[in-house]
Amino acid sequence: MPTRRSEIEPFAELVRAGRSGRLWQGQATRVETFQAFANVLGSGERFAAGTGVTLMPLRHPYEAAIQARSLAILSGEPVIAGFGPGSVQFQQSLLGEPYAKPLVAAREYLQVVTQLLREGTADLDGQYFRVHATLPLMVAPRVDVGLGVLRPGMARLAGRVADAAITWLTPASYLRDVVGPALQEGAADAGRTVPRQVAMVPFALLEPGRDIEEIVLASNEGHLAQPHYLDMLATSGIDVATSDPGSQARALVKGGAFLLGTPAEIAEQLDAYRAAGVGEVVLNATGVARTLGARHALADLEAVIDEWRGPSPALVNGRRSTTARRDASDERPAPTMRAVGARLLSWAAGEAPDAGTPAGRVVVLADAAHLEPLLDGELVDPTTLVLAPRTPGAPAVAGAVVRYTGRLDLPSTTCAVIGSETYLDVTTYSSTRPLAEGPRLVRFVDDADVHQLVGDVGAARETGTFPALLLHGAVHLTDLPALGVPTSRGGPAHRLFVAADGSCAVAPGAPVLGAVTDPLSALESQWSASTGPADGPRPTAGAGTAWAALADAVAADPWLPRYVQAVRLLRTLAVRGIRDVHVSGFGAHLADGVGAEVAPLPTDPLVSWNDRSAYLGDPVTGRSFAVGTGVAQIVDALVRFGSDCVGTLVRPEHAQQVRERLDGLGVTLRLH
């Protein structure tokens, strides 16, 4: 099992790069599984993860729910959290005695974890677990709760209570003839959908110089000493009840429990798992990793990925795997949900996404009826991401089309669900609804929202205080161009909204630019004709009530865009742990002086400070920089008083030095 981040990162990179869809790890006792994932995520990697499986005696189900959800939040991707009771000997060692009824213990454990994750509360007086507790609800990617399955009894239980049935060392024929029917029986008894099967499949490429028996045993020797594995294998027709390790290894290969061959031969064997109803295959190269090293294991995995391109294959190294997915009708790899979320937030705000997020136009449909004409037209290119309402039978993700439920254009009392696991809260600016920790879009939909905004700007100018909700890292103001904030991604080349009637605009409530069947050039021409200069007024003709009211408010008060930019700066600094910050022009100024103040330009840098340091914010890019207080005072004076302060409050050579320094940082400071 991995003990260092560097051992996991190459496999995480397969997921991040889109070659596969999930990174798996089983129970670890040297470096704890969830902490190992968190360590890799801390390096900047982002990936969907699965635990298959962690052992129930090690943690209380409340702790298990926290760990699983934390992994989903930190990764920004859905998680499959698998749990199992472990061996009788393991239970005895940790609990003092084994579970007398492991099915009952597993049922109670999954019930508590699932209730906490889905409902935020668990009430159970069970034989093994007595839990009456609440878990604060958060907007987070979905966590599917899995159960480790080997034999029919546990499979039937998984059918009744689990989101996934996770198997290990099980031949495809056993999954088809034993596990699958038991899952279906349990699901039918409970009146629920059959959970997905996740099969962890050990494998190795057959290459000259490799000791195959050693590789097979390195992957599975510990399991061959466990009665429940021996029983499962015997039912599969694989006899490993022998003291000869070589015979055991050969039996596993012959019976299809361990896959061996060329990439093409292994791919052919994997097709049997797909035919058996397995929804997620996890390729396990533990044996290769333990005997030859991680580099050889990674090479084996990549060779099989390249050979086998099914609906949901997967990869693993030392019980660390990934799931490669591709829609058969679309050769484009499915985007990660983290990338989808980042691009959706960029679409909503009309600004560039974070570095590392794939570029391209984002198109959001209000009605799925317009999906086909959209895909047949000129508004979609190879980099476009399309979000369309969910329709019966439509997959959550198919190529570059991601489905959603709920509303993305208007506020709703329930969260929109993007794909199948990512949640998004949409409210109005004037809403007082409590914040669930997670992404929230704040929209302006009527005059009441604009009136509230104007009042907040005035209060901030006078007192220096901003609404606490807007400073939360999960809250995102929408449509920055309508708020007078210059961005490089406000137009139809970067974002589009297709209304229910098929009309196109850059956002809900924005002026109509054309129809879904129009070419992009026509929409861009209409946008350019109505916007004026890049930093000039944004369109109002044909706009909804809020957009027209915002245009009037921006024209009346140049500090309104400045207020929005100040909110973004304070949020950025807060993420870095910098708090108790003042922003010049809102309740105070850093630079002293008396004179005629000039109205700020939308591109002027923002000056902020606290008791420890001073900071500049670039309103165009959203970046922030720590600077000396003297430099910040000069910038504040130049922004506040313009060129009139040069030679009086600011020495000319100092003004020139500061402007040159800002130029080097890519920040524009134009004297008024």
Side-chain angles (χ1 to χ4, degrees):
M1 302 298 285
T3 59
R4 296 187 299 273
R5 185 170 70 193
S6 60
E7 296 176 323
I8 306 176
E9 285 177 331
F11 302 93
E13 174 63 21
L14 290 174
V15 183
R16 190 202 64 78
R19 295 189 64 186
S20 50
R22 195 185 311 278
L23 187 69
W24 283 86
Q25 181 166 303
Q27 181 61 64
T29 53
R30 292 198 292 175
V31 174
E32 199 278 329
T33 302
F34 287 102
Q35 293 193 39
F37 278 140
N39 188 18
V40 179
L41 291 167
S43 70
E45 293 280 2
R46 289 294 182 269
F47 50 85
T51 61
V53 295
T54 56
L55 302 181
M56 292 159 39
L58 285 172
R59 53 172 55 91
H60 190 277
Y62 189 94
E63 167 72 5
I66 294 175
Q67 291 282 5
R69 189 177 69 179
S70 297
L71 179 56
I73 292 171
L74 291 174
S75 67
E77 298 286 348
V79 167
I80 299 178
F83 304 99
S87 67
V88 171
Q89 294 87 341
F90 189 78
Q91 299 166 24
Q92 177 81 37
S93 298
L94 271 67
L95 303 176
E97 61 180 4
Y99 298 124
K101 298 179 179 179
L103 292 179
V104 174
R107 175 178 56 79
E108 292 178 0
Y109 196 97
L110 261 69
Q111 179 180 335
V112 172
V113 173
T114 302
Q115 285 182 346
L116 289 170
L117 291 172
R118 300 287 186 270
E119 304 167 20
T121 184
D123 288 292
L124 176 66
D125 286 306
Q127 182 175 340
Y128 294 96
F129 299 98
R130 295 172 178 82
V131 181
H132 301 277
T134 59
L135 185 66
L137 287 174
M138 297 176 65
V139 177
R142 180 179 173 85
V143 177
D144 281 340
V145 181
L147 180 63
V149 167
L150 277 184
R151 295 184 285 186
M154 199 66 81
R156 280 190 289 271
L157 176 61
R160 296 187 185 104
V161 302
D163 299 314
I166 303 171
T167 63
W168 179 273
L169 200 62
T170 46
S173 59
Y174 181 82
L175 296 175
R176 180 193 65 220
D177 300 335
V178 178
V179 172
L183 278 173
Q184 295 170 12
E185 180 183 342
D189 290 344
R192 61 194 300 266
T193 302
V194 179
R196 82 175 86 175
Q197 291 188 59
V198 178
M200 300 202 172
V201 182
F203 85 105
L205 295 184
L206 184 60
E207 295 184 349
R210 288 187 171 186
D211 186 332
I212 297 303
E213 292 180 3
E214 181 186 17
I215 291 174
V216 173
L217 294 174
S219 175
N220 302 288
E221 190 170 18
H223 300 92
L224 300 181
Q226 302 298 328
H228 53 310
Y229 276 95
L230 294 175
D231 180 69
M232 178 273 294
L233 291 169
T235 304
S236 303
I238 302 174
D239 183 9
V240 292
T242 173
S243 59
D244 177 22
S247 297
Q248 289 181 322
R250 289 189 294 273
L252 290 176
V253 173
K254 182 179 179 180
F258 188 102
L259 306 190
L260 181 67
T262 66
E265 290 169 341
I266 290 175
E268 184 177 352
Q269 295 175 75
L270 291 176
D271 287 337
Y273 283 89
R274 186 188 304 164
V278 174
E280 188 162 334
V281 176
V282 181
L283 289 180
N284 177 286
T286 300
V288 176
R290 288 180 175 174
T291 57
L292 300 174
R295 180 171 59 85
H296 290 274
L298 185 63
D300 280 18
L301 293 170
E302 291 178 323
V304 173
I305 295 175
D306 293 339
E307 183 66 35
W308 190 50
R309 292 293 192 180
S312 55
L315 315 172
V316 118
N317 168 42
R319 299 178 73 180
R320 309 186 289 281
S321 88
T322 55
T323 304
R325 279 178 280 203
R326 188 184 60 159
D327 185 85
S329 63
D330 188 345
E331 294 187 358
R332 296 171 58 188
T336 66
M337 292 314 298
R338 176 179 179 271
V340 170
R343 294 181 68 179
L344 179 59
L345 293 178
S346 169
W347 169 85
E351 63 177 346
D354 295 335
T357 301
R361 186 178 310 112
V362 177
V363 183
V364 174
L365 302 176
D367 191 330
H370 300 298
L371 179 58
E372 185 172 343
L374 173 71
L375 297 178
D376 289 340
E378 300 182 18
L379 300 181
V380 173
D381 62 33
T383 66
T384 303
L385 172 67
V386 178
L387 289 102
R390 181 76 56 83
T391 55
V397 180
V401 178
V402 177
R403 300 287 183 155
Y404 70 89
T405 60
R407 300 292 297 268
L408 296 178
D409 54 337
L410 292 174
S412 174
T413 57
T414 59
C415 291
V417 183
I418 316 301
S420 58
E421 295 104 349
T422 301
Y423 296 80
L424 191 67
D425 189 20
V426 183
T427 65
T428 64
Y429 184 87
S430 57
S431 172
T432 58
R433 189 166 76 199
L435 176 67
E437 294 187 45
R440 169 178 284 191
L441 298 183
V442 177
R443 291 203 172 282
F444 296 86
V445 299
D446 55 27
D447 289 342
D449 292 326
V450 179
H451 179 77
Q452 180 70 47
L453 172 64
V454 171
D456 288 345
V457 173
R461 287 276 287 144
E462 182 176 347
T463 66
T465 59
F466 296 80
L469 183 66
L470 295 184
L471 305 184
H472 194 286
V475 176
H476 305 267
L477 288 172
T478 62
D479 302 319
L480 298 182
L483 295 167
V485 177
T487 73
S488 60
R489 298 181 65 89
H494 304 288
R495 63 175 190 150
L496 283 171
F497 173 71
V498 181
D501 62 0
S503 61
C504 284
V506 295
V512 173
L513 303 177
V516 67
T517 54
D518 289 342
L520 179 62
S521 58
L523 304 185
E524 288 184 309
S525 176
Q526 185 64 28
W527 170 260
S528 299
S530 57
T531 59
D535 296 332
R538 295 302 173 188
T540 57
T545 302
W547 272 63
L550 284 173
D552 292 340
V554 169
D557 185 1
W559 283 95
L560 191 153
R562 200 71 168 167
Y563 167 88
V564 176
Q565 294 166 336
V567 166
R568 296 168 71 205
L569 174 61
L570 292 172
R571 289 177 63 245
T572 300
L573 294 175
V575 168
R576 294 164 53 188
I578 303 169
R579 303 184 186 278
D580 301 322
V581 177
H582 307 281
V583 180
S584 187
F586 295 92
H589 285 282
L590 184 60
D592 295 328
V594 177
E597 297 187 9
V598 297
L601 295 173
T603 56
D604 283 341
L606 294 115
V607 176
S608 61
W609 72 97
N610 58 18
D611 293 338
R612 295 172 295 280
S613 188
Y615 309 90
L616 295 183
D618 180 6
V620 177
T621 64
R623 296 176 300 163
S624 60
F625 312 91
V627 296
T629 301
V631 171
Q633 288 176 327
I634 292 173
V635 174
D636 191 25
L638 294 174
V639 170
R640 184 180 178 189
F641 299 110
S643 57
D644 290 345
C645 73
V646 178
T648 55
L649 298 176
V650 179
R651 294 172 60 178
E653 62 270 25
H654 290 170
Q656 183 62 30
Q657 290 171 0
V658 167
R659 293 187 66 185
E660 290 176 355
R661 181 173 178 181
L662 292 183
D663 286 342
L665 295 173
V667 179
T668 301
L669 175 59
R670 293 185 293 183
L671 296 184
H672 303 236

